[in-house]
Each structure stands twice: as structure tokens, then as C-alpha cells.
């Protein structure tokens, strides 16, 4: 389906379905009030009522706030898949255009790579109609870029682990670099050894796929700020020797969602031509079992030099990130450092499965992210560090332990483990985003359908757009 912004006057009404967004209050004054009432339509949020004789689809929305427009557009995107029209049209303005585009694209998203027969929608075009195309053109393009980058992220996350392993992810990054004018550097086993990324290498050791560290750079002239993004790219997390139970292992292809978010963000930033320099660092690793696997009781020497006692090989994301964060800090003196990771089940216990956990030292930065997230329509919440929880990471034999010695506060202790690898001068520039819950869903919510959600992409772009 193709989305176009056109002048209302140039709309070809032949075989076109016109959408009418309507709130319960407005229903009282609607032209077809009686007929709509007969059909039992009350304009409740996300309810739809078609008048095919008149080629109209009434779409109920409580009010015209973005969140509601996004979900009603999602309902429309799903419903029209079976309709036999050539096009759909809806009036847009600068207040509603982004939410509607997100609903249509993200809510209508399908991942059909593995379906042998995919149904083709008859509807070829969605026309966003307005009086003045020029006035909305920039916002239209921008919304499209962001929604499509979110789908790009979703596609990678949704790809099966045997088709998306570290080498494939590196190849995908290279292609993205070529298409979007980025530079791309890949570190394989040899380079990672040279860099002393021993924690990262230990996690991937039992896999038949070698680990890769991917570094993409977008460098415009006169960049205002430098941003480093780090993504956890566990292309599969079996748990390693601390093997996950069978039911918890299903969906663990999504353990690469942090990496995929970072790739989607740098894609969008380069297409939006933002005047900031962005570095994306991805630790692409597969956590498997085998004779060569790293073990509980192993002590790893991280790139930073700190020793880590491994007590659970399923707490692997933090080991990979410890080295990638350290590498990223040495490679670039960034003004902001953000990491994205499906790091802990505990984050879901704390916040529910819809909310990204935000951790770090800077209240100011957390506040700015929270504002960006509300604007972008993503849910985030802050999880506070404290010195008592930090003690739970103490090791008797090494500098730090990879798991906490108590069962509570697991999202925060994981965040504090990462904090151990953040240099003093970067403490206030860094935030950690735990997207364990928000990155993937098996039941649709908001504009998310089954599978990857693309969590992190929209709120980060919203934040980066406003950097001064
Ligand atoms: N990838 C998982 C976290 C996760 C769990 C993400 C569920 C998405 C959904 C991570 O590597 C992990 O297994 N963490 C352990 C940590 C524990 C061993 C301290 C967890 O959350 O159980
Ligand atoms: Zn794990
Ligand atoms: Zn993991």
C-alpha cells in the first residue's frame, strides 16, 4: 500500500473509500446520524461503520488526540485489508497527519517473509487529502521516514535466528551504509581478540556463528552534537549453559531488538538529514550451548580490564554490552551515549510489557527522554539506581558478578552492572533503555501487531530532532 499526500481537489473518487473520523459528540450533529444509530454505531474509540453504498467508512475516536488517532487508523488499516476498493482517502491537517501515518503503516504492518501464500490487499493507495500540500509536505515526508524505519527495525527482529545471525546482521549494516551514505566498520573474531573484547567473545564462543561488532557512522558537515548508540544484538539467546526453560526460549530471536533499534535510528537520522553525528555500535552475538560454551564459575577479563565472575550464562547481554560500551567510549567522545537492550525479564515484572525502562544518572536527560517519548507515543518509565542495590553485584572472587545475589530489582542491578563500564566523564551523558517488554508482543496493542514493535526508534528520533 502506497501513501500519498494530495490536494483534496485532485482526488479521483472512483472506487475510493472515504474515511470520516468522528467523535461521540460530533456524531450528534452528523449528516447520517440516523443511519449510523440504526447500525448501532456510537463512535466509540476504534469502532468502524461502513456505508458501502456511499463509499464511506465512519471511524470512531474519543477525541482527536494523537494516541486515539493512531489506534483508530490501526483499526482502519486492519479492516480495509479485505475491502474491494482501489483507494482510501482521509482529510489530514498538521495536527493529525503523523498519528494517522503511524496508524496506517505501523498498525497495518505485516511480516510475510515466511508465508508461502501472502494475501494481497486490493487497495493500492491511501490518499491523505488536504487544501495545501506544500504546507504539509515536510511533515508528511518526516512521518513516513520514521514509520518506515520502525518497520525496518521490526523486519530484522522478526527474521528467524537461522536467517539473521551476526554475519548476516553485519552484511545488512553494510548494505544500509551503502544506501544511506554511512561508513561501516565490522570487527570479526580476530579484531575482537585484538581489542580484548573477552566478555563479548565468551558469550558467542559456543555458537557456530562468529560474533561481530558493527560500527556505523553518519557524519554530516557542521554536526551540532555527537551521539553514540549501542545495541544489544543477541541474534539468539538460548540462555547458554544456564539454559532457558523451553517456554522462555520461544521469542528469544527478539534478543537482538536493541541492535535493530539502533540500526533503524541511524537509518532514519540519515534520511532526515539531521545535523548531528551519529555512531551506531552493535554487539552481534549468539548465546548457545556446547563443549566450547562459557560457563557459570568462569571469570572473564572485560575490555575495560575489570574481571567478571559469571554465575549465570543467561545474563549475557550485559557481558556483551560491557565490552561494546567500553569500545564505543574509546572510539568517540560523544555528547550523549544511549544503549538499547532487551536486558531483563525483571524489567517486565517492574513496568509491565509495554513500557521501556530508563536508567542512568542524569535527571535532566531522563526528563528530556520522557518528554520525547510522550510526544512520540511510546511508553517509558524511570527506574532509579541506588547504592544498596549496587552491593548485590559484589563478587567474592572477581571485581563484579554478572548477576545480583538477591531476587529483587533485577532490571536496576543489570543497569548498574552496565554503569560499572561507563567512564566517569560520561556518567551524565549516558542512559540505558531496557526494552525487554516493549520490543516484542504476541498480542496486538496500540499500533503494534504480533511480533517486533520497533520500540526505541520513535522516541529516540523525537529526542534527536530537538537536540540543540
Ligand atoms: N534476553 C534476556 C532478557 C529477556 C527476557 C528479554 C524476557 C525479553 C524477554 C536476558 O538475556 C536474560 O535472560 N536475562 C535474565 C537475567 C537473569 C539470569 C539475572 C532474566 O531476565 O531472567
Ligand atoms: Zn539471557
Ligand atoms: Zn539476552
Amino acid at each position: 500500500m502506497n501513501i500519498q499526500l494530495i490536494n483534496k481537489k485532485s482526488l479521483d473518487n472512483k472506487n475510493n473509500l472515504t474515511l470520516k473520523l468522528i467523535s461521540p459528540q460530533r456524531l450528534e450533529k452528523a449528516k447520517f446520524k440516523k443511519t449510523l444509530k440504526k447500525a448501532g454505531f456510537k463512535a466509540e474509540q476504534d469502532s468502524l461503520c461502513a456505508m458501502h453504498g456511499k463509499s464511506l467508512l465512519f471511524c470512531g475516536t474519543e477525541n482527536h488526540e494523537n494516541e486515539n488517532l493512531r489506534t483508530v487508523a490501526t483499526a482502519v488499516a486492519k479492516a480495509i485489508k479485505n475491502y474491494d476498493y482501489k483507494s482510501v482517502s482521509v482529510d489530514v491537517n498538521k495536527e493529525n497527519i503523523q498519528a494517522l501515518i503511524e496508524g496506517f503503516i505501523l498498525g497495518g504492518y505485516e511480516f510475510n517473509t515466511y508465508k508461502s501464500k501472502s494475501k494481497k490487499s486490493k487497495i493500492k493507495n491511501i490518499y491523505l487529502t488536504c487544501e495545501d500540500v506544500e504546507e504539509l509536505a515536510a511533515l508528511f515526508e518526516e512521518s513516513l521516514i520514521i514509520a518506515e524505519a520502525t518497520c525496518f527495525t521490526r523486519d530484522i527482529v522478526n527474521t528467524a535466528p537461522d536467517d539473521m545471525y551476526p554475519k548476516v546482521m553485519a552484511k545488512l549494516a553494510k548494505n544500509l551504509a551503502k544506501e544511506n551514505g554511512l561508513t561501516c566498520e565490522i570487527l570479526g573474531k580476530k579484531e575482537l581478540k585484538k581489542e580484548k573484547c573477552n566478555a563479548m567473545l565468551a558469550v558467542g564462543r559456543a555458537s557456530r556463528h562468529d560474533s561481530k561488532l558493527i560500527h556505523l557512522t553518519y557524519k554530516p558537515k557542521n554536526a551540532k552534537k555527537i551521539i553514540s548508540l549501542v545495541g544489544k544484538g543477541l541474534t539468539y539467546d538460548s540462555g547458554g549453559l544456564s539454559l532457558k526453560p523451553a517456554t522462555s526460549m520461544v521469542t528469544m530471536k527478539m534478543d537482538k531488538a536493541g541492535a535493530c533499534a539502533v540500526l533503524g535510528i541511524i537509518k532514519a537520522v540519515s534520511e532526515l538529514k539531521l545535523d548531528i553525528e551519529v555512531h551506531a555500535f552493535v554487539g552481534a552475538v549468539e548465546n548457545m550451548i556446547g563443549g566450547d560454551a562459557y560457563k557459570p564459575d568462569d571469570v572473564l577479563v572485560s575490555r575495560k580490564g575489570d574481571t567478571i565472575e559469571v554465575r549465570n550464562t543467561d545474563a549475557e547481554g550485559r557481558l556483551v554490552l560491557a565490552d561494546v560500551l567500553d569500545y564505543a567510549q574509546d572510539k568517540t567522545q560523544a555528547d550523549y551515549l544511549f544503549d538499547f537492550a532487551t536486558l531483563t525479564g525483571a524489567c517486565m515484572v517492574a513496568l509491565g510489557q509495554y513500557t521501556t525502562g530508563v536508567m542512568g544518572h542524569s535527571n535532566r536527560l531522563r526528563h528530556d527522554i520522557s518528554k520525547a517519548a510522550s510526544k512520540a507515543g511510546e511508553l517509558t518509565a524511570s527506574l532509579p539506581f541506588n547504592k544498596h542495590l549496587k552491593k548485590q553485584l559484589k563478587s567474592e572472587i572477581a571485581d563484579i558478578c554478572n548477576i545480583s545475589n538477591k531476587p529483587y530489582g533485577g532490571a536496576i542491578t543489570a543497569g548498574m552492572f552496565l554503569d560499572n563500564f561507563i567512564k566517569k566523564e560520561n556518567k551524565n551523558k549516558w542512559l540505558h533503555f531496557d526494552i525487554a517488554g516493549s520490543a516484542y508482543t504476541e498480542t496486538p496493542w496500540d499500533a503494534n501487531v504480533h511480533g517486533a514493535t520497533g520500540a526505541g526508534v520513535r522516541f529516540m528520533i523525537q529526542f534527536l530532532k530537538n537536540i540543540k
Side-chain angles (χ1 to χ4, degrees), residues 24-147:
Q25 296 99 301
R26 287 261 302 283
L27 181 63
E28 291 308 313
K29 296 181 208 125
K31 193 169 159 197
F32 299 106
K33 181 178 139 190
K34 272 199 182 149
T35 321
L36 289 169
K37 281 211 165 159
K38 255 192 193 165
F41 180 71
K42 298 194 186 81
E44 281 163 349
Q45 183 62 46
D46 304 340
S47 63
L48 304 175
C49 185
M51 269 183 204
H52 292 297
K54 299 217 171 312
S55 295
L56 291 175
L57 181 65
F58 289 87
C59 315
T61 180
E62 249 161 55
N63 52 42
H64 286 239
E65 278 175 21
N66 281 346
E67 192 183 341
N68 293 329
L69 292 171
R70 197 169 56 240
T71 61
V72 73
T74 296
V76 170
K78 287 177 179 164
I80 61 175
K81 281 183 180 151
N82 302 317
Y83 285 5
D84 193 3
Y85 290 87
K86 228 173 85 193
S87 61
V88 168
S89 68
V90 62
D91 285 343
V92 295
N93 54 47
K94 60 178 189 298
E95 269 75 45
N96 69 13
I97 186 165
Q98 180 153 20
L100 291 174
I101 288 177
E102 282 173 358
F104 291 137
I105 296 186
L106 303 178
Y109 171 87
E110 283 179 5
F111 181 70
N112 289 325
T113 304
Y114 300 109
K115 295 261 192 214
S116 30
K117 283 185 229 91
S118 73
K119 273 191 280 168
K120 280 251 166 354
S121 167
K122 293 219 166 90
I123 295 170
K124 295 279 169 281
N125 289 300
I126 296 181
Y127 294 118
L128 307 181
T129 56
C130 64
E131 313 254 301
D132 184 356
V133 170
E134 234 170 76
E135 186 202 14
L136 293 181
L139 190 50
F140 169 75
E141 290 299 335
E142 180 186 307
S143 309
L144 226 51
I145 287 173
I146 298 169

Side-chain angles (χ1 to χ4, degrees), residues 296-300 306-312 389-406 417 420-421:
D297 286 353
D298 273 347
V299 176
L300 311 174
D306 283 10
T307 56
I308 308 168
E309 179 191 358
V310 176
R311 291 182 72 91
N312 191 317
L389 283 170
K390 180 138 201 193
K391 288 186 202 140
Q392 295 177 192
L393 289 168
K394 205 177 159 311
S395 165
E396 295 298 327
I397 61 160
D399 297 333
I400 194 166
C401 190
N402 84 325
I403 54 163
S404 160
N405 57 22
K406 297 218 167 62
F417 178 91
N420 187 69
F421 298 88

